[in-house]
Amino acid sequence: MPDRGGGPTGPRIRVGRPSRRARTLLMTLGVLAVLAMAFVMFAGFWTDWLWYRSVAYSSVFTTTLWTKIGLFLVFGLLMAVAIGVNIWLAHRLRPPLSAMSLEQQSLDRYRMSIAPFKKWVLLAATALVGLIAGASASGQWRTWLMYVNGVPFNQKDPQFNLDVAFYAFDLPWYRFLLGFGFAATVLSLIAAALTHYLYGGLRITSPGARATAAATGHLSVLLGIFVSLKAVAYWLDRYGLAVKSSDFKAADNWTGLRYVDANAYLPAKTILFCIAAICAVLFFATLWRRTWQLPVIGFGLMVLSAILIGGLYPAIVQKFQVQPNEQAKEAPFIQKNIDATRDAYDIDDAVMEDYAGQATKGDGAKLRAAANTAASYRVMDPNVVSPAFQQLQQRRNYYQFPKTLDVDRYKGADGKEQDTIIGLRELNIQGLPKRNWINDHFTYTHGYGAIAARGTTTGTNPTGSPDFMESGLPSTGEFGEYEQRVYYGEKTEQYSIVGGPQKELDYEEDGEKTTSYKGGSGVSLSNGFNRAAYAVAFSEPQIMYSGAIGEGSRILYNRTPKERVEAVAPWLTIDGDAYPAVVDGRIQWIVDAYTTTNGYPYASRTTLGDTTADSLTTNQRAVVAQENQVNYIRNSVKATVDAYDGKVKLYEWDTKDPVLKTWRKAFPGTVEARSEIPQTLLDHLRYPQDLFKVQRELLTRYHVEDPAQFYSGSDAWQVPDDPTNQEPGSVPPYYLSMKMPGQSEQEFSLTTTFTPRGRPNLGAFMAVNADAASKDYGTMRLLRVTSTVKGPGQVQSELNGNDDVAEFVRNLKGTDSDIEYGNLLTVPLEGGFLYIEPVYTRGGTQNYPLLRKVAASYGSEIVFENNLGDALNAVFGVDGDSDTTPPDPSEPDEPTKPPATGDEALKKAIADAQKAYTDGEKALKEQDWPAYGKAQDALQEALERAAAAQPKPGSEGEKADGADKPDGDAEPEGEGEPESSAKPASVGRSAPAEGAGEGSGQGS
C-alpha cells in the first residue's frame, strides 16, 4: 500500500531515533544528575571543613585529610601496580598456541571474547583492587602518625630490652605493612595463576607438562615472596609475645610472656624464621632449576615444623614442665606482669597500709567530736536529687536537668570552700509548647542558667529539699554575674540557626524576653553556597529558601561537649561525664580526656566499657569508649567547652606522657601547655571518675605485689554491687571532702570500697586526692582492712531490717510515698568506719525526693534519725539537741552567746517571728526565692525560741507541729513556682509522711 505519511512505519522510525534536541536534553539531564551526585558527596566534605574552621582547629582537619589521602594513594597505587604488573607479566609469558586440546579449545572462547577489551579489563581489575586497598589503608592514619611521630617512653621491656615505644608505635605499623604485603602477594598470585591458566601457561587436563617453565618461574617467585613474608611474620611474632593476651588463671586478660612463651614459643619462632627463610630461597632458586621439587619439599617441612615446633613442643613443655610446678615456674613472669600493669595504669604509687577497721569503744563524746571534722558529709546525693532540681527550678517545660547532677567545689558567702551539687538548665526540645521547624531550630535555641545547691545542708522550702545557693530564672545567688545562656550542653543535640532576622526566645519570666546570638560560633549561612551545602548535609531543603535565614545567620551543631572535643582531638578517648563550672563569668564544660594504647608490654588489658560501667551507667550517664581494649591509660588532657560560644580548649595535663607528646608532634598547636590553665579553672578541675574506675578494677588484683600470693588469688578483691540502687551494677565512686587517717585537714577526694572476692564484708577502702589545685593531687591511698568489718551490702541489709526503718516505711504506705536511699558514704574514723546514708521520700503530694532521714552506722551500732546531727549523736551515744550539726572544720569556733530567758526572750522571739513572716510574704510577692528561703529559716528559728521560752513547765516538748515541721504541701507546683496565695511553709499543714521525718531539714 502507498505510504500516506500516517502509516506505522514512519512513526516507528522517528521514535527509535530521538531528535537532536531530545539527545541534547538527555545529555544535559545526565550531566546535571552527575553534578548533583558530586555536590551531594562534596557537601559533607565542605561542611566538615567549615565546621573545623569555625572552631579554629582547621589544622586537625587538614592533617587528617592529607594523611588519609596520602595513604590511600600510596597503598592503593602499590596494590594496583602489584596486581597489574603480575597480570601483564603472566600474559606476556604465555606460550605460543599449538595443537589445541579440548581444554584449550574451551578456553579459547574466553580468550577471544576478552581480546578486544584486554586493556580495559586490566585497568578495571587493578583500579577496583587499588580502591579497596587504598580505602583500607586510609583507615590506618592513626597508626601512621604514631609511627612517624613516636616519642620514646625511656622505659624498656624486660624480655627484649626494647623501648616501650617500639611496641606502642612501631610494631602496629610493621604489622600493617606485613598484612598489606600478604594481601598484595596472595592477590597477585591468584591473578597471575588465572592469567597463566587462561592463556595456556598452566594446564589441568591437557597432556604434557602441567606448567610452562615461564609460569613455573613466575609463580615460584610469588610463592617465594609469600614465604619470605611468613619469615618476617615469625620474627615479629617474637616481639608480639610481649603484648599477646592469653587465658591464665592468675588474672583475666593476661598480657605478656609466660614460662612456655619464653622457653618454647620464643625459640620455636626463631627456628621457624630460619626454616621459612631457607624455604623462600628454594622457591627463588626455581628461576634457574625450573623444578618445583625442592621448594615443595621445603614448604612441606616448614608446615610440619610449624605443627611440631610451634604447636606440639610448647604443649609438651606446658604439660610436663609447667603444670607440675606452675606457681614456681610462672613467678618471674607474674612479677613482670604486676610491675608493668601497675605502671601502665598509674597505680604503682598507690600507698597501701593496714587498717584494723574495728570501731573504737570508749568515749562517745570524743568520737562525736572526731566525726565533726572527719568529713563534710554530703547528704545531697547528685544521683537522686535531680528530680527535685527539675520540679523546683525547671520553671518551663522546655528546660531540663541531667538525671545525674555533678559534684564540684565553690566558695560560699563566708569564703569557705564547700561541696556543691550543680546542674545546668538545658533546653529540652521535647517540651516545647508547639513543635515546628521554626520553633525547633530558630526560636528555642538555648538553656538558661546554672542551678547549684549545698551538698551538706538541706533547704526548708519545703523541708528536705536542696539548699540552693544559685537558683531562679535568671539564676541569682552566690555565683555573681556570669553569662547564663547555654547554647552548648550535654542535652543539646539538635542544630540551631541563630543571629539572623529571626529572634530567639531568651527566657520567660514576667514576660517573654528575646535575644539574638552574639557568640560568634557556628558557620555563616549568609551565602547561598553554604546554605545549599547544609541543606544537603542535613537533608533539610528549607535551609535553602527559608526567609528566617538571612544576613548574620549562623548554624550551630555538634553541640555536646563530648562531640566537640572528640571532633577536634580524634586521637583522644573522652570521659563519659563532662561537668559544668562557672569560671570567670562564663559557664565552662570541663571534659577529661585520655591517651591510651594497647601495646604496653606485659601490662594486662581491660575493656573500658566494662570497667567504667556501674549502677548509674545503665540509664543515667554515658560510658567511656564502649569497646576499646587498652593496657595503658593516662588522663593527659583537660578540655573545656564554653557553654555560650562553644569554644574548645585543650590543656596538657600529664606532662610526662609519651603518647600525648607523640600526638602533639602530629598535631602541633592544638594542645596548650599546662602552665596556661588559669587558677580559676584549676580550682574546679578534679580527678576523673572513669579513670578512677579503671584503676580500682585493676587494683582488685594488682594491689598484690607478691607473685605467689597473686597466683593463688587469696587476697583478691571485688568492687561491691551498689546496695542502694535497684539497677544491677557496681557501686559508683563518690566525691567527698574527707580526711584519711593521719591527715590533719579534709581533702576533696574520690572514694570507693572493696570487698573480698566472694564475700560481703569490707576488704579495703580507697581514696584519691581529687583536688587538682592540691600538691597531693592524684595521691592514692588504700586501707587494707585486717579484721572482719561490715561491708556496704551488710550495712544496707541491717538498715533495711531496722525497726525504726520498718515503722517509717509503714507510715509511708498511707501517704502513697516511696523510700529512696541516697549514696552510702564510707568514712574512716578513729580506727573504724563510719557509714552515713541519706534517706529520701518521694511521692504523695510531691513527686520528687525530699531528704527525710539520715542513717548512720559505726561498729555494731546502726541508727535511723531525723537529721545528720541526731544520727551522729545517736550512733556515738551522745545526748544533744535535735538540731545539732557538725560544724565546718574550716571555720573558727565562735563564742556562744547565753540565751535570753523569761518574758523578754518570749517577746523578742514573737517579734522576730512576725518580722520574718512579713519578710517572707514580701519576698513571695516579689518572687525573690533566696530571700524567701532566708525568711523561712528565720521564722522557724524564732518560733523554736518562742516555744523554748514558754513559762509553763515542760513546754519545751509541746511545740506545735506547725512550728518545727514545714509543710510538705507548700512546694511549688506546675513548673516550680509557688502560688501567690501560699502560706509560709513553717506554719502550714504537715503531710503524714513528715511526721516520721521531723527535723530532716536540720542535717548538715
Side-chain angles (χ1 to χ4, degrees):
M1 293 181 63
D3 183 5
R4 299 181 183 276
T9 303
R12 280 202 298 269
I13 293 174
R14 288 196 293 272
V15 171
R17 184 175 184 133
S19 65
R20 179 178 298 178
R21 179 179 298 177
R23 291 198 302 271
T24 303
L25 178 61
L26 289 174
M27 185 177 296
T28 303
L29 291 176
V31 171
L32 290 176
V34 171
L35 291 176
M37 293 174 60
F39 184 77
V40 168
M41 291 186 289
F42 176 76
F45 164 81
W46 181 246
T47 53
D48 285 347
W49 161 249
L50 292 175
W51 186 86
Y52 275 95
R53 192 174 64 176
S54 73
V55 293
Y57 281 90
S58 55
S59 63
V60 174
F61 179 83
T62 54
T63 299
T64 304
L65 176 65
W66 287 118
T67 302
K68 289 180 178 180
I69 291 175
L71 292 172
F72 177 86
L73 293 177
V74 170
F75 287 95
L77 186 62
L78 285 175
M79 182 65 78
V81 168
I83 303 299
V85 167
N86 279 282
I87 293 176
W88 173 82
L89 186 60
H91 180 267
R92 186 177 179 83
L93 295 175
R94 68 190 184 280
L97 295 178
S98 56
M100 301 288 283
S101 64
L102 292 176
E103 180 184 26
Q104 295 304 313
Q105 288 178 13
S106 63
L107 289 174
D108 192 51
R109 288 178 297 173
Y110 296 103
R111 289 193 288 261
M112 293 181 65
S113 64
I114 66 172
F117 313 105
K118 285 191 294 188
K119 291 183 179 180
W120 293 108
V121 171
L122 178 62
L123 289 174
T126 54
L128 178 61
V129 174
L131 287 173
I132 295 174
S136 175
S138 66
Q140 298 294 321
W141 64 272
R142 290 181 178 85
T143 307
W144 165 251
L145 288 176
M146 294 182 79
Y147 171 72
V148 297
N149 296 287
V151 171
F153 278 67
N154 295 321
Q155 189 168 345
K156 299 183 182 298
D157 79 282
Q159 182 66 43
F160 301 101
N161 202 35
L162 294 173
D163 193 277
V164 173
F166 170 79
Y167 301 93
F169 306 141
D170 299 344
L171 189 57
W173 179 248
Y174 296 152
R175 282 177 164 167
F176 164 72
L177 291 179
L178 186 63
F180 179 84
F182 273 123
T185 304
V186 170
L187 290 174
S188 296
L189 186 61
I190 294 172
L194 288 174
T195 306
H196 279 299
Y197 176 68
L198 181 64
Y199 287 96
L202 292 178
R203 306 180 182 93
I204 298 177
T205 61
S206 300
R210 298 300 182 204
T212 64
T216 299
H218 183 196
L219 297 180
S220 295
V221 170
L222 291 175
L223 288 171
I225 295 173
F226 179 85
V227 177
S228 298
L229 292 174
K230 189 61 181 175
V232 175
Y234 281 133
W235 188 256
L236 287 181
D237 284 347
R238 299 168 66 253
Y239 303 110
L241 292 173
V243 291
K244 182 194 73 172
S245 291
S246 60
D247 294 329
F248 188 31
K249 67 180 181 181
D252 297 330
N253 294 314
W254 173 275
T255 301
L257 286 84
R258 290 158 53 194
Y259 181 89
V260 69
D261 296 315
N263 295 278
Y265 279 111
L266 189 57
K269 297 291 183 183
T270 305
I271 295 171
L272 289 172
F273 163 76
C274 296
I275 293 173
I278 295 171
C279 187
V281 172
L282 294 177
F283 273 106
F284 292 134
T286 58
L287 286 172
W288 296 274
R289 293 180 57 84
R290 301 296 182 178
T291 175
W292 292 70
Q293 186 176 5
L294 285 179
V296 170
I297 293 173
F299 188 78
L301 288 175
M302 187 181 75
V303 173
L304 183 62
S305 299
I307 296 172
L308 296 178
I309 301 175
L312 185 60
Y313 174 61
I316 293 173
V317 172
Q318 178 68 24
K319 180 70 175 178
F320 295 102
Q321 290 191 33
V322 178
Q323 287 186 5
N325 191 15
E326 188 172 46
Q327 179 176 311
K329 294 289 187 183
E330 301 288 9
F333 302 96
I334 293 175
Q335 187 63 63
K336 294 174 183 177
N337 176 268
I338 291 173
D339 294 340
T341 302
R342 289 174 61 87
D343 181 71
Y345 291 94
D346 202 20
I347 55 177
D348 53 329
D349 293 330
V351 179
M352 174 85 74
E353 56 189 280
D354 290 339
Y355 187 76
Q358 290 287 1
T360 303
K361 295 181 180 179
D363 189 351
K366 180 181 177 182
L367 290 172
R368 179 66 174 83
N372 282 351
T373 59
S376 297
Y377 304 98
R378 184 170 41 73
V379 293
M380 283 289 107
D381 184 353
N383 310 310
V384 174
V385 300
S386 178
F389 273 53
Q390 190 81 2
Q391 182 70 20
L392 299 173
Q393 294 296 327
Q394 178 190 22
R395 298 304 175 94
R396 295 292 182 267
N397 288 334
Y398 49 81
Y399 291 133
Q400 63 180 324
F401 291 93
K403 291 183 178 179
T404 299
L405 301 173
D406 289 293
V407 179
D408 201 350
R409 296 137 296 150
Y410 286 89
K411 291 181 179 179
D414 55 3
K416 304 298 182 182
E417 199 170 76
Q418 57 187 313
D419 292 357
T420 305
I421 312 300
I422 185 172
L424 297 191
R425 189 190 283 116
E426 293 191 47
L427 182 66
N428 175 19
I429 204 73
Q430 302 301 324
L432 297 187
K434 184 178 181 181
R435 297 291 305 277
N436 54 55
W437 189 63
I438 293 294
N439 277 349
D440 286 0
H441 301 289
F442 291 82
T443 304
Y444 296 89
T445 59
H446 59 278
Y448 210 96
I451 303 299
R454 296 172 180 84
T456 55
T457 60
T458 60
T460 58
N461 184 32
T463 299
S465 64
D467 182 10
F468 292 109
M469 57 188 292
E470 183 77 14
S471 60
L473 180 65
S475 298
T476 57
E478 299 179 13
F479 287 176
E481 295 293 328
Y482 64 98
E483 176 55 69
Q484 298 195 21
R485 297 172 182 87
V486 181
Y487 282 89
Y488 296 87
E490 288 181 301
K491 303 296 183 181
T492 313
E493 298 178 348
Q494 76 284 353
Y495 71 88
S496 290
I497 299 176
V498 298
Q502 178 71 36
K503 289 293 184 180
E504 311 161 45
L505 175 69
D506 205 14
Y507 62 89
E508 291 183 271
E509 194 77 3
D510 296 331
E512 187 177 283
K513 307 292 192 301
T514 60
T515 188
S516 186
Y517 183 66
K518 304 296 182 185
S521 66
V523 178
S524 173
L525 295 180
S526 297
N527 66 74
F529 187 81
N530 285 0
R531 291 175 67 169
Y534 278 101
V536 171
F538 288 0
S539 301
E540 182 50 72
Q542 293 187 79
I543 294 177
M544 265 299 291
Y545 55 78
S546 174
I549 302 176
E551 189 65 30
S553 291
R554 309 182 71 83
I555 186 168
L556 312 181
Y557 61 105
N558 289 349
R559 298 171 71 181
T560 68
K562 188 174 186 291
E563 282 179 324
R564 296 181 79 77
V565 177
E566 279 180 333
V568 302
W571 36 271
L572 290 174
T573 300
I574 310 302
D575 190 273
D577 182 31
Y579 62 98
V582 178
V583 180
D584 295 331
R586 311 280 288 197
I587 299 176
Q588 298 284 353
W589 287 101
I590 300 175
V591 184
D592 286 287
Y594 310 108
T595 47
T596 63
T597 179
N598 65 354
Y600 197 100
Y602 273 101
S604 290
R605 290 185 172 90
T606 186
T607 302
L608 293 181
D610 294 337
T611 52
T612 58
D614 57 33
S615 62
L616 299 179
T617 58
T618 307
N619 57 9
Q620 295 195 35
R621 61 180 295 259
V623 177
V624 57
Q626 185 69 39
E627 300 299 330
N628 280 19
Q629 196 172 63
V630 305
N631 66 352
Y632 171 94
I633 185 170
R634 289 291 186 274
N635 178 210
S636 53
V637 171
K638 301 283 189 181
T640 62
V641 177
D642 193 290
Y644 180 67
D645 62 19
K647 186 174 183 179
V648 181
K649 285 190 175 182
L650 307 176
Y651 295 102
E652 174 191 34
W653 185 246
D654 190 329
T655 58
K656 299 179 180 178
D657 177 30
V659 182
L660 177 61
K661 292 178 180 178
T662 296
W663 286 119
R664 292 188 73 182
K665 281 182 63 180
F667 295 96
T670 56
V671 181
E672 298 186 32
R674 178 168 176 160
S675 58
E676 297 298 317
I677 302 177
Q679 182 63 42
T680 50
L681 174 61
L682 189 66
D683 290 340
H684 293 280
L685 300 184
R686 67 187 192 188
Y687 202 85
Q689 291 186 71
D690 282 337
L691 175 61
F692 185 74
K693 286 190 281 189
V694 170
Q695 291 173 323
R696 74 172 180 179
E697 184 65 32
L698 269 295
L699 281 168
T700 59
R701 292 303 305 269
Y702 286 92
H703 68 278
V704 176
E705 298 185 63
D706 177 70
Q709 190 179 16
F710 186 92
Y711 177 84
S712 68
S714 59
D715 193 24
W717 299 337
Q718 65 186 17
V719 179
D721 288 337
D722 186 357
T724 68
N725 200 317
Q726 295 180 352
E727 297 290 343
S730 35
V731 62
Y734 295 129
Y735 287 105
L736 181 68
S737 292
M738 55 161 289
K739 291 193 302 186
M740 288 288 277
Q743 292 180 337
S744 58
E745 296 181 355
Q746 293 181 15
E747 294 177 342
F748 185 66
S749 304
L750 191 54
T751 67
T752 192
T753 54
F754 298 98
T755 57
R757 181 164 294 180
R759 290 187 290 160
N761 55 289
L762 190 64
F765 175 81
M766 181 169 76
V768 63
N769 186 318
D771 183 0
S774 169
K775 61 181 178 61
D776 295 323
Y777 171 82
T779 300
M780 196 174 290
R781 294 184 61 188
L782 290 103
L783 304 180
R784 186 207 309 266
V785 180
T786 58
S787 57
T788 302
V789 179
K790 291 181 294 186
Q794 292 173 311
V795 171
Q796 189 67 47
S797 295
E798 287 189 14
L799 176 63
N800 293 341
N802 183 275
D803 292 339
D804 293 337
V805 176
E807 181 181 358
F808 182 70
V809 172
R810 282 195 300 269
N811 291 338
L812 285 179
K813 290 182 179 179
T815 64
D816 194 27
S817 298
D818 295 321
I819 191 171
E820 194 166 340
Y821 293 107
N823 39 217
L824 181 58
L825 304 176
T826 308
V827 178
L829 179 66
E830 298 294 311
F833 286 99
L834 172 65
Y835 289 96
I836 298 292
E837 182 175 30
V839 179
Y840 302 82
T841 62
R842 181 172 182 171
T845 57
Q846 104 284 331
N847 193 28
Y848 57 92
L850 294 177
L851 181 65
R852 294 305 190 194
K853 291 283 187 176
V854 176
S857 175
Y858 187 74
S860 59
E861 292 293 326
I862 186 163
V863 298
F864 188 68
E865 299 294 336
N866 292 333
N867 54 63
L868 179 60
D870 284 353
L872 291 176
N873 289 338
V875 79
F876 297 121
V878 176
D879 293 330
D881 296 335
S882 63
D883 61 349
T884 301
T885 58
D888 186 337
S890 63
E891 294 182 359
D893 294 335
E894 296 182 0
T896 303
K897 298 180 181 180
T901 59
D903 294 340
E904 182 180 351
L906 180 59
K907 292 178 181 178
K908 186 176 188 310
I910 293 174
D912 290 344
Q914 183 61 46
K915 182 179 183 303
Y917 179 80
T918 303
D919 292 343
E921 287 292 288
K922 180 180 178 183
L924 188 63
K925 291 179 181 179
E926 297 176 354
Q927 296 188 357
D928 186 348
W929 308 121
Y932 180 75
K934 292 178 181 178
Q936 297 308 297
D937 291 341
L939 176 60
Q940 182 170 344
E941 187 270 340
L943 292 174
E944 289 173 353
R945 285 192 286 111
Q950 291 289 334
K952 185 177 179 179
S955 62
E956 290 86 345
E958 299 177 359
K959 288 181 273 189
D961 287 346
D964 64 350
K965 290 183 286 188
D967 183 8
D969 295 336
E971 70 274 340
E973 299 177 354
E975 295 175 339
E977 299 177 7
E979 297 180 9
S980 60
S981 60
K983 297 296 182 183
S986 299
V987 295
R989 177 177 56 84
S990 296
E994 292 176 345
E998 182 177 344
S1000 62
Q1002 305 293 331
S1004 75

